[in-house]
Amino acid sequence: SQKIEQNSEALNIQEGKTATLTCNYTNYSPAYLQWYRQDPGRGPVFLLLIRENEKEKRKERLKVTFDTTLKQSLFHITASQPADSATYLCAPTMFSGGYNKLIFGAGTRLAVHP
Amino acid sequence: EAQVTQNPRYLITVTGKKLTVTCSQNMNHEYMSWYRQDPGLGLRQIYYSMNVEVTDKGDVPEGYKVSRKEKRNFPLILESPSPNQTSLYFCASSLGRLSHEQYFGPGTRLTVT
């Protein structure tokens, strides 16, 4: 069955360092992969999308890589700030049943300490 | 302000008492979806709708119903709630069925005793 793995343990880092979150998937081949941010008590918010033919995508302090051979995406936040503390969800996306279907990982909680 | 709204935000109910969670979006989006989020399991899709009067089952549809009579509204109905439906529910919308970015509502925390 399709499976998505994100680090279940929280990632604790010091302010100013680079945070790296991992998303591994098995048993399917998504054409896209999205990352969302979720704050406590709120709905997920879209951050970035990367296509299968793109190796890397950047947006301000965020960088995402997508390795379809390894079936893995890495999400980096450079110069991290306490305000970056949140849970980050990866969502490989594939075309299924006539629409783009997202399958979400359970998320990794990031805590950035001053 | 472009947004997806859900009501109620919190609900405690008893087994078997029918309830409806409303969802509305003001972005003229065609595609809408319901998810439930449980610890360690991630968001799982319950039902989705590609347009008015077009709905289909997601991955965990058992015990739920939906309707899409108007483009902006997509209510989730639990005809006979059970304790295993205790969860955090999110409604989401996107421009169309081929769009990627989904806009989520604030969530509804449901407890069934």
Side-chain angles (χ1 to χ4, degrees):
Chain A
S1 61
Q2 296 163 347
K3 192 176 176 185
I4 300 165
E5 290 181 343
Q6 293 187 255
N7 293 350
S8 57
E9 292 184 12
L11 179 63
N12 291 283
I13 65 166
Q14 209 66 30
E15 183 176 7
K17 301 291 187 186
T18 295
T20 298
L21 285 67
T22 304
C23 174
N24 295 299
Y25 58 91
T26 54
N27 294 331
Y28 67 122
S29 300
Y32 310 87
L33 194 142
Q34 303 185 43
W35 283 88
Y36 285 76
R37 168 181 173 143
Q38 187 174 19
D39 291 287
R42 300 195 146 195
V45 174
F46 172 80
L47 294 175
L48 276 172
L49 175 146
I50 186 166
R51 291 175 167 75
E52 62 178 340
N53 60 353
E54 296 177 311
K55 295 293 183 190
E56 183 179 296
K57 195 84 169 274
R58 290 176 187 259
K59 179 182 176 183
E60 296 170 354
R61 294 184 296 112
L62 308 180
K63 184 179 88 170
V64 172
T65 63
F66 191 12
D67 189 324
T68 56
T69 302
L70 290 179
K71 292 186 180 293
Q72 181 182 79
S73 175
L74 298 178
F75 177 81
H76 306 271
I77 306 176
T78 58
S80 60
Q81 304 164 2
D84 295 325
S85 299
T87 296
Y88 292 86
L89 312 176
C90 81
T93 306
M94 48 181 201
F95 190 72
S96 172
Y99 73 106
N100 280 323
K101 179 174 181 175
L102 281 68
I103 301 177
F104 285 88
T108 297
R109 190 162 59 86
L110 172 66
V112 181
H113 302 283
Chain B
E1 180 192 351
Q3 61 183 346
V4 178
T5 57
Q6 293 179 230
N7 281 293
R9 295 290 314 278
Y10 303 91
L11 179 59
I12 300 174
T13 189
V14 296
T15 299
K17 187 176 180 183
K18 181 180 178 180
L19 67 92
T20 299
V21 183
T22 64
C23 172
S24 184
Q25 50 91 6
N26 62 359
M27 296 170 278
N28 201 35
H29 284 173
E30 285 190 347
Y31 177 86
M32 297 185 75
S33 183
W34 275 102
Y35 295 89
R36 62 178 288 172
Q37 187 175 39
D38 301 290
L41 291 181
L43 288 155
R44 292 180 292 167
Q45 190 181 54
I46 303 170
Y47 268 93
Y48 64 94
S49 169
M50 288 196 259
N51 214 326
V52 176
E53 302 292 2
V54 181
T55 63
D56 210 343
K57 296 177 181 178
D59 298 315
V60 289
E62 293 78 21
Y64 305 94
K65 282 175 56 176
V66 293
S67 68
R68 187 96 182 269
K69 294 185 172 57
E70 306 166 280
K71 198 171 187 178
R72 62 183 294 129
N73 296 323
F74 190 44
L76 178 70
I77 302 154
L78 285 73
E79 295 262 351
S80 182
S82 63
N84 65 11
Q85 292 178 298
T86 292
S87 188
L88 181 57
Y89 291 87
F90 288 100
C91 179
S93 72
S94 65
L95 195 58
R97 62 183 179 90
L98 300 181
S99 302
H100 299 288
E101 178 181 352
Q102 294 204 6
Y103 296 79
F104 284 82
T108 295
R109 185 166 291 281
L110 172 67
T111 302
V112 183
T113 61

